[in-house]
Amino acid sequence: MRARAYLVPVVLTGMLSLAGAGGPEPGDPARAALLKGVDSIPKFGAPGPVAIFGERAFAVIAGGAAGRPRMALCAAAELGKGRIVAFGHNGYLDGKTIDDGHRRLMLNAVGWCANGRKAQVGIRSCRAEALLSGGEAETVRLDGALTDRELRGIDVLILNAQGMTNVAEAAALETYVRMGGGLIAGATGWAFGQTSGGGVLNDDLAINRVLALAGLAFTTMTLDQPGNRFAADTQRVPLLNAQLALRAFAKSGEPPLSAEEFDQASSAIEVALSAQAAGGTAFIDAVRAALGAIPAAVPSQKEPLLAANAVAERARLALEVRLAQVVDPGVVRAHPAAATFPGAVAASAPRVKWEIGIDPKSWGWHSTGLYAAPGEKVIVTVPRQVAGAGFSVRIGCHTDELYKLDVWRRAPGLSHSIRIREQVTLAANAFGGLLYIEVPEHAVQSEQFTAAIQGAVPAPLFVLDRDDDARWNSDIKKRPGPWAEFACDRAILTCPSEVARRVSNPGELMRFWVKVLDAQAELAGIPAERRRPERVVADVQISNGYMHSGYPIMVPLGEAEKMVTRTGKQAPGWGFYHELGHNHQKPEWTFEGTGEVTCNLFSLWSFHRVLGESDPTVGHEAMSAERRQQRMKRHLAGGAPFETWKNDPFLALTLYWQLIDAFGWDALKRVIASYGDGALGPPPKSDDEKRDQWMVRYSRVVGRNLGPFFDRWGVPVSASAKASVEGLESWMPTSM
């Protein structure tokens, strides 16, 4: 149904032709028209790049971090008689906040897409009306499905495409554009998996079927833009169109490209490859032909690929990795870098057919105890009701991508997920890896089923309460897969098999990890039973920090032995508890500056509850009594500036430790629990409220006024918050 809105004038531009293949870079005149009167536009949220790979497609606005290749935030193209403008964040279709540059760009986009006509603008799933005020056009809100009938009479459609998964709508939209309709679309591609309940953007975001016909696509990548605005450059943005970049890349010696141009060209091709539908496209074929048979460099710990002196090698490897993830599994071949990491599989190792039971009540990755050899085909067969229900086959546990790092010690992408759409799925990964069945978070198919997997190699997998130490030592640890796992219903640890084989008591090991996870759940105030186990994976290189949280938690290869052997009294160590703490901390009691602090409450608690330390500060040298006192004295002597406090995690943690030391762990647990039980009011909505509530809730739980204590530390709380607890006796530690 259409809901007619109001009349607004729109500045219309005349018909502008685009240069075709072989001529100037496409879009030069059109870009100037689209950016007329636009100096810059704001950065909304965390946008992603729009892939550009069509002969009649071009970048409108681009950005990127200094010294890095540029990517398109906004791109445009012609398709048949129609025109398309695409934004890499759906916030650009929302008129909730009005910015002059943003508004002018939208007016220009409507005018260009209308091709000189007085426009009737259809608006779907966004609030773009306010962006069009001040001109001449009629806006019509479209609430029903996109059909030929619904789109009849619409000159330009402004569409938030984030939730567009209906293929029939895509077919109607294609006809509409080809016949002369204008389309302005936006989507935040990297968030599609979250907003769609586990969908795969390249396969399930239906709008990409239409955009791809014009040589555009939304991607799962992110666009790192410094500051809070994108400059509008009416001059040509070179080598952002992947078709032109591919020609330059393939003929880089005629004339030679500079290192910067080569990097830019390969980046454009990489972005476009990341958005190709699985199986095969003309663009994929063109990339394969351009790469030819020239082998890529193989990065390693000893001989990494550096951005400073291995531009061509890195570009080729990045393209080969992207290519291997989008071609048909039947043509995937082992990549030479796979032998270095994650590892080769002996030709003599048995390729088996196993049946694996899957319980969809536990979501996430289900370990199979099988390893797919690099480049080899694996066949997965599931019951009819599972096919097309959101399940996937994942090959490879190393999900961190290294593309943006200056140093590569392994290939920049290793893990690959293939959606199970039919009863029989062919899967392959050029780098190989442990094989998993992925269960979507809200699986429609909830009954247990059996997956038959053929062509993979057995790998060591110990499951607590299913396997025992004797079977592990006599059989399981000897399985030939190069990576191994130790599992229980609380946690799964992934490490090289050579490390795992040194473990003789996996039952004791996993009972220890049950204690760790149950302890952290106790402090967080959540049930010990989990809908999915936490995962910890060792990697030769991770994407950020020494370790990082997430699913899975990633740790350096050098920590693998500590993770599975507990060689010292305090093993596995503070870092493991810290990252698990990140997975348990909650935003309502983590205000600005404490993201790396409240997770350490779980580190302290683990040292106390699991390792039995009466003084858990022994877990990290930065928390020794001497160093705590030194930092605190300097902070107080300097006037206790909040900026200093919130930028020094161990200084900030000292405040929390003083409260724990004085009032005990039970008080902290009661404070954390209070955010969920409603007894002390609703949870905070702003950062100021978070600080206020932490002070007030703690004061009420311990029966002491902590306002002066927070003031002394320089942590701001409001006068009203302090007034609410002024009837309680004030408290200050003797050390202050």
Side-chain angles (χ1 to χ4, degrees), residues 570 574 617-628 631 650:
Q570 295 182 352
W574 182 279
T617 61
V618 299
H620 200 293
E621 59 182 11
M623 285 298 289
S624 69
E626 181 181 1
R627 294 184 66 176
R628 291 199 314 267
R631 280 194 305 271
F650 288 104

Side-chain angles (χ1 to χ4, degrees), residues 240-304:
L240 272 173
N241 182 303
Q243 285 282 7
L244 302 183
L246 185 58
R247 293 170 195 159
F249 183 84
K251 300 177 181 179
S252 58
E254 309 171 6
L257 294 174
S258 68
E260 183 179 353
E261 289 171 332
F262 193 92
D263 203 17
Q264 179 63 65
S266 58
S267 172
I269 301 167
E270 182 190 332
V271 172
L273 272 177
S274 77
Q276 301 301 303
T281 65
F283 183 76
I284 288 174
D285 293 340
V287 175
R288 292 178 67 190
L291 286 176
I294 302 174
V298 176
S300 67
Q301 281 273 45
K302 293 183 178 179
E303 297 183 10

Side-chain angles (χ1 to χ4, degrees), residues 376-433:
E376 293 190 14
K377 283 66 182 170
V378 174
I379 300 172
V380 179
T381 305
V382 299
R384 182 178 294 106
Q385 66 271 22
V386 174
F391 295 81
S392 300
V393 179
R394 177 172 292 277
I395 299 177
C397 57
H398 299 100
T399 55
D400 272 16
E401 294 188 340
L402 313 180
Y403 296 100
K404 296 179 181 179
L405 301 186
D406 289 332
V407 177
W408 292 354
R409 294 185 172 88
R410 62 160 171 83
L414 296 176
S415 185
H416 184 35
S417 181
I418 304 98
R419 182 61 66 89
I420 297 175
R421 299 191 178 279
E422 307 291 340
Q423 282 188 259
V424 179
T425 300
L426 182 67
N429 184 339
F431 296 91

Side-chain angles (χ1 to χ4, degrees), residues 188-214:
T188 309
W190 61 262
F192 179 74
Q194 304 167 27
T195 59
S196 63
V200 177
L201 181 139
N202 290 12
D203 297 335
D204 300 323
L205 183 60
I207 186 69
N208 264 0
R209 294 172 181 247
V210 181
L211 297 187
L213 297 170

